[in-house]
Amino acid sequence: MSETDEEFRLRLRAFLTSSHPGRRPKDRADRLGWQKAWLAALFDGGFAGPSWPRAYGGMELSFARQVIYHEEYAKARLPRPLGTGVSIAAPTIITYGTDEQKDRYLRPMLRGDVVWAQGYSEPDAGSDLPALRTTASRDGDVYVVNGQKVWTSAADIADIIFTLVRTGSVESRQDGISYLLIDAHAPGVTIRPLRDLTGDAHFCEIFFDDVRVPVANRVGAENGGWPLVRTSLGHERAAGVMNQAATYRRVLDELIELARERGLTSDPLVRDRLAGFEMRVRIMRYTGMRTIADIIARGEPGPASSTSRLFVALFEQELHEFAVDVLGPYGVLDREDPHAVQRGRWVWGFLRTRASTIGAGTAEIQRNTIAEQVLGLPRDPGMPAR
Amino acid sequence: MDVTGEQHELRATVRRFLAEKAGDSLLWRQMADQLGLQGVALPEKYGGAGAGLTELAIVMEELGRVLLPSPYFATVALAGHALAECGDEAKSRWLPAIVDGSLTATVAFSGADVRACGGELTGTAMFVVDGDTADLLLVVAGADLYAVEGKSVRRTRLQTLDPTRRLGRLELDRTPAVRLDANVDRVRDLAVIALAAEQVGGARACLDAAVGYAKVRVQFGRPIGSFQAIKHKCADLLLEVEAARSAVEHAAATTGDDLPIAAALAAAYCSVVYTRVAKENIQIHGGIGYTWEHDAHRHLKRAKSSELLFGTPATHRARLADLVGI
Ligand SMILES: Cc1cc2nc3c(=O)[nH]c(=O)nc-3n(C[C@H](O)[C@H](O)[C@H](O)COP(=O)(O)OP(=O)(O)OC[C@H]3O[C@@H](n4cnc5c(N)ncnc54)[C@H](O)[C@@H]3O)c2cc1C
């Protein structure tokens, strides 16, 4: 007899609880080992990659089960995958990679043995990605790569950097770009952590100085890298909204508790704001449910799923800023101060969520996309087609 | 909560019908005779289709899109659902006539200052939707609901912001009334959910109008929709309209103890969204949006007055805060 959704949920929960890796180590190196051990345990237990094909070690779950998966995962407070490969590069490899590339890269990525980082942005090419200038010139069966990447999340712990490089002429814009996998440990690669405004070093800058990369590491055609940028793994993103809804349900409850402890919930203005967040966190979940219904009925996520990323980004920024207001003067204390409330998490969150409307496409770029692709408004004359 | 083919069909049918028949004086009877819309969510035993609140919400949304001046909201969403909550006697007395379109009705909630004494009601009720014309008046007095014959009440039509929705003032002076066995809070929850659905329909109509105009209006040699100030506004409005739709669809599918929460949430969220989209629709239309001839102001007026009808968004948020234990 086949397992019901509820049985699946319980089996998953049992696994996540029984193999939970425990509290996050403070030391950076310890933390990396702790995360890697967890990802390996998850993979070996058969619980990694909810949407991934089974052929590459994934679970290939139905959409409804992916949602269950993400919800349980969020509730269990577990480490997320390392780097950006699992969510961004994997779909591209699955769709455009050669069989050899798939066999070689996918499983170790999912198991957390090999960490991937996304080297797209450059100092002069962020939103305007087709302006990128890192060059890869052909020399027999290798490319020689020169240039600089920046704001690369997790590059300091990465083994492979998946990049966009210029193989065409200087003016070729999006038509002269190739998708190249570069060994982060290869000679000529220099990676320097950049401190971000939270004080952490979440992202890095990368310099390529005559780095030799086998042509076999190119995904897709030469000069045909641009269309690969958009690939995403089926409905993974939509299912991810449920993960965020579950996470933010918990975070909001913690914020309400904080306001209560500080005697603020009797203040009508505070109540009004909290009620506003309460509505939005619930709506996040309802939208996720609608998305599921749409996918089941029509095979597509529908318009709400395209707005939900921006919805979440704005929500989390405002939530954290409000939390700092709730702290009053304690909102000025840094994480390191012994008097910091809840180890400074709200203040850190306030700073950290500034990135929500910048990273992975700014809010402005997302609005352009929604306006053009969902509402059908005329294209911005300056923007390349994606 | 999955949207079935039948629900899509219902939406399409109502939309087509309204497009063809709006302005037809026989519309009310045709809604009942041809489509059975009055009975869509009322029990089959009394002639209705026995569908749920989701179907009612779909109809309300479509009515909201076209701003149809019609006793539908008062008769069906307010009174029909209030009666459906009552005992068998009240149901069999009035529901069949509501379903077949021969009776209009309403509920007096807001601004009601009415006392009951020995089967009679005394006092005034303000802001009663279709209160000046409805055949049957259901009046809230204290925690109870009473039925009163429209003919037996002195009533006047209020001059209002929104010309597409009639509001009346009722004066009751020892008016004979029948006490009904209904949970007034629940009746109010159903009413605000239906109103929220209407608001989503109105909001979507405003957004569609704004987007449609932004595609064709050319300034500086470009369609204005290619300017980001306009484009981004539209994207933000879509985000809010879709969120409002999530709130309504969820509320319409909610039963049991969670209903008050879902209702307060939908009321608070959707009313703010509708007003905002209505305002931005005027802005995006520029001078033409400010003219009497253009529909944009009609939505603004409906939006603002709906926002205030059953409690402001702030009161709904306060209620939500109470209900979820903030
Ligand atoms: C925390 C974090 C992690 C990141 N991780 C990675 C990573 O792992 N890999 C990677 O490749 N990149 C990464 N990035 C880089 C990120 O993708 C870019 O920062 C982003 O695309 C914006 O580019 P930019 O910083 O050059 O800003 P710019 O493009 O210079 O934008 C500056 C401002 O101008 C606006 N703007 C620009 N163009 C337009 C337009 N056409 N219309 C309207 N407004 C416009 C922007 O919205 C923004 O407000 C990360 C960034 C952050 C903050």
Side-chain angles (χ1 to χ4, degrees):
Chain A
M1 250 187 2
S2 63
E3 188 180 37
T4 65
D5 285 350
E6 203 43 40
E7 284 161 359
F8 169 72
R9 188 190 284 279
L10 295 175
R11 183 165 64 86
L12 172 68
R13 190 181 294 168
F15 177 82
L16 297 179
T17 320
S18 65
S19 39
H20 196 289
R23 215 184 158 89
R24 198 176 121 106
K26 238 184 149 40
D27 175 78
R28 224 179 131 76
D30 291 349
R31 192 158 70 224
L32 185 61
W34 170 83
Q35 275 174 302
K36 285 198 163 192
W38 161 252
L39 295 172
L42 190 68
F43 182 92
D44 296 341
F47 285 102
S51 59
W52 278 46
R54 278 180 191 279
Y56 311 117
M59 300 171 79
E60 211 170 322
L61 295 176
S62 70
F63 185 70
R65 292 225 174 152
Q66 287 181 43
V67 169
I68 295 176
Y69 181 95
H70 284 292
E71 282 192 327
E72 290 298 321
Y73 203 94
K75 279 187 209 152
R77 294 178 184 252
L78 290 158
R80 312 282 313 147
L82 284 162
T84 40
V86 169
S87 52
I88 304 173
T92 310
I93 309 283
I94 289 171
T95 313
Y96 296 98
T98 60
D99 287 343
E100 200 216 316
Q101 287 170 338
K102 292 180 200 175
D103 287 343
R104 176 159 162 215
Y105 293 123
L106 290 168
R107 282 169 176 270
M109 187 202 297
L110 187 56
R111 196 170 182 271
D113 296 335
V114 177
V115 177
W116 289 45
Q118 175 195 335
Y120 290 177
S121 305
E122 298 183 5
D124 293 324
S127 302
D128 186 13
L129 212 44
L132 65 89
R133 289 197 295 224
T134 294
T135 54
S137 36
R138 190 82 179 247
D139 178 12
D141 53 3
V142 297
Y143 287 110
V144 180
V145 178
N146 281 288
Q148 182 190 351
K149 296 289 174 180
V150 74
W151 309 305
T152 318
S153 303
D156 52 339
I157 57 165
D159 305 297
I160 296 178
I161 304 159
F162 57 105
T163 60
L164 296 175
V165 293
R166 183 151 309 284
T167 38
S169 65
V170 180
E171 351 32 272
S172 57
R173 298 275 299 174
Q174 64 267 32
D175 298 328
I177 289 174
S178 299
Y179 195 104
L180 201 59
L181 311 181
I182 302 180
D183 178 354
H185 312 294
V189 178
T190 309
I191 296 173
R192 280 201 215 124
L194 289 170
R195 249 154 92 92
D196 65 42
L197 55 69
T198 67
D200 293 346
H202 164 89
F203 50 31
C204 305
E205 57 184 348
I206 306 176
F207 299 88
F208 299 114
D209 189 8
D210 284 335
V211 180
R212 296 178 72 81
V213 183
V215 170
N217 282 19
R218 194 189 66 225
V219 184
E222 184 165 288
N223 292 331
W226 185 248
L228 277 62
V229 173
R230 262 191 73 195
T231 323
S232 74
L233 198 82
H235 304 115
E236 170 97 41
R237 270 219 181 132
V241 174
M242 296 302 281
N243 176 310
Q244 281 167 318
T247 301
Y248 275 113
R249 169 77 271 165
R250 193 185 74 216
V251 173
L252 178 59
D253 287 341
E254 288 161 354
L255 175 59
I256 292 170
E257 197 45 47
L258 179 72
R260 185 174 293 125
E261 278 165 15
R262 306 181 81 78
L264 291 172
T265 44
S266 53
D267 178 337
L269 292 178
V270 170
R271 290 170 68 74
D272 190 71
R273 288 297 303 278
L274 288 174
F277 292 123
E278 178 72 30
M279 298 196 303
R280 287 157 77 188
V281 83
R282 284 172 184 258
I283 285 175
M284 231 182 259
R285 190 183 150 78
Y286 305 156
T287 299
M289 304 297 287
R290 266 179 75 199
T291 303
I292 303 174
D294 283 342
I295 288 175
I296 291 171
R298 288 194 280 280
E300 283 178 41
S305 74
S306 56
T307 53
S308 49
R309 218 188 112 213
L310 192 52
F311 189 89
V312 173
L314 300 174
F315 173 87
E316 63 189 358
Q317 287 187 339
E318 289 169 37
L319 177 97
H320 282 97
E321 180 158 15
F322 180 67
V324 174
D325 295 348
V326 162
L327 294 177
Y330 284 82
V332 308
L333 296 180
D334 189 74
R335 263 189 298 182
E336 310 305 325
D337 191 277
H339 303 284
V341 176
Q342 295 176 5
R343 303 215 247 141
R345 66 177 280 203
W346 300 108
V347 181
W348 185 80
F350 163 64
L351 296 174
R352 169 70 194 157
T353 52
R354 288 297 103 204
S356 309
T357 45
I358 302 175
T362 67
E364 287 74 23
I365 297 296
Q366 288 185 55
R367 288 187 180 102
N368 284 344
T369 308
I370 293 167
E372 292 174 16
Q373 291 179 9
V374 184
L375 294 173
L377 283 168
R379 259 186 59 198
D380 188 317
M383 300 277 283
R386 275 221 176 176
Chain B
M1 211 176 62
D2 66 19
V3 183
T4 64
E6 278 158 44
Q7 288 166 357
H8 277 299
E9 185 60 37
L10 173 66
R11 183 186 298 282
T13 307
V14 175
R15 190 172 297 183
R16 216 178 311 118
F17 176 81
L18 292 173
E20 278 168 23
K21 307 279 170 121
D24 188 328
S25 61
L26 298 174
L27 186 73
W28 179 249
R29 292 311 296 251
Q30 290 173 345
M31 277 168 107
D33 295 345
Q34 295 178 12
L35 301 182
L37 292 188
Q38 281 85 333
V40 70
L42 295 174
E44 284 170 279
K45 193 173 165 198
Y46 307 100
L53 206 51
T54 297
E55 281 74 9
L56 179 73
I58 289 171
V59 177
M60 286 302 305
E61 204 186 310
E62 292 304 315
L63 295 176
R65 284 180 81 97
V66 298
L67 291 175
L68 186 77
S70 145
Y72 191 90
F73 175 57
T75 302
V76 179
L78 301 186
H81 284 271
L83 290 166
E85 294 293 310
C86 297
D88 228 27
E89 200 187 314
K91 283 193 215 157
S92 49
R93 182 156 168 201
W94 289 298
L95 283 185
I98 287 183
V99 170
D100 73 19
S102 58
L103 183 81
T104 63
T106 189
V107 180
F109 295 109
S110 29
D113 178 19
V114 179
R115 276 162 295 111
C117 181
E120 294 174 340
L121 296 182
T122 301
T124 51
M126 288 284 282
F127 317 118
V128 183
V129 183
D130 292 317
D132 60 321
T133 56
D135 304 319
L136 171 69
L137 305 171
L138 307 182
V139 181
V140 174
D144 293 316
L145 189 66
Y146 293 82
V148 174
E149 286 281 341
K151 291 192 288 286
S152 61
V153 176
R154 258 198 47 192
R155 44 203 192 151
T156 46
R157 178 173 184 183
L158 300 170
Q159 303 297 311
T160 59
L161 172 65
D162 171 16
T164 64
R165 176 126 68 211
R166 302 175 79 98
L167 297 182
R169 175 175 188 270
L170 315 181
E171 266 180 77
L172 301 119
D173 183 13
R174 304 182 65 185
T175 309
V178 181
R179 200 180 92 84
L180 301 175
D181 173 26
N183 174 344
V184 171
D185 288 335
R186 190 175 149 77
V187 171
R188 195 190 299 265
D189 286 340
L190 296 174
V192 300
I193 293 170
L195 184 62
E198 187 191 89
Q199 288 166 326
V200 167
R204 184 69 217 206
C206 291
L207 176 59
D208 289 347
V211 167
Y213 188 70
K215 288 178 187 172
V216 297
R217 173 69 174 172
V218 173
Q219 293 287 285
F220 301 98
R222 285 160 60 174
I224 57 167
S226 69
F227 294 115
Q228 287 190 342
I230 300 295
K231 193 175 271 195
H232 289 191
K233 206 171 262 198
C234 291
D236 283 336
L237 296 178
L238 178 70
L239 176 146
E240 293 190 5
V241 170
E242 287 300 327
R245 180 183 299 283
S246 293
V248 162
E249 286 188 5
H250 173 80
T254 299
T255 51
D257 293 346
D258 287 339
L259 187 73
I261 295 177
L265 192 163
Y269 200 84
C270 299
S271 44
V272 172
V273 169
Y274 186 17
T275 304
R276 162 137 190 239
V277 188
K279 288 187 291 198
E280 296 292 13
N281 183 33
I282 293 177
Q283 180 65 25
I284 291 171
H285 275 85
I288 216 167
Y290 193 69
T291 61
W292 184 264
E293 281 68 31
H294 199 278
D295 269 354
H297 70 97
R298 306 202 313 134
H299 276 290
L300 177 69
K301 292 168 180 173
R302 170 67 73 85
K304 195 67 206 176
S305 60
S306 300
E307 189 182 315
L308 303 175
L309 199 54
F310 298 132
T312 63
T315 57
H316 289 297
R317 285 194 296 268
R319 196 159 105 82
L320 179 69
D322 289 342
L323 288 167
V324 302
I326 291 173

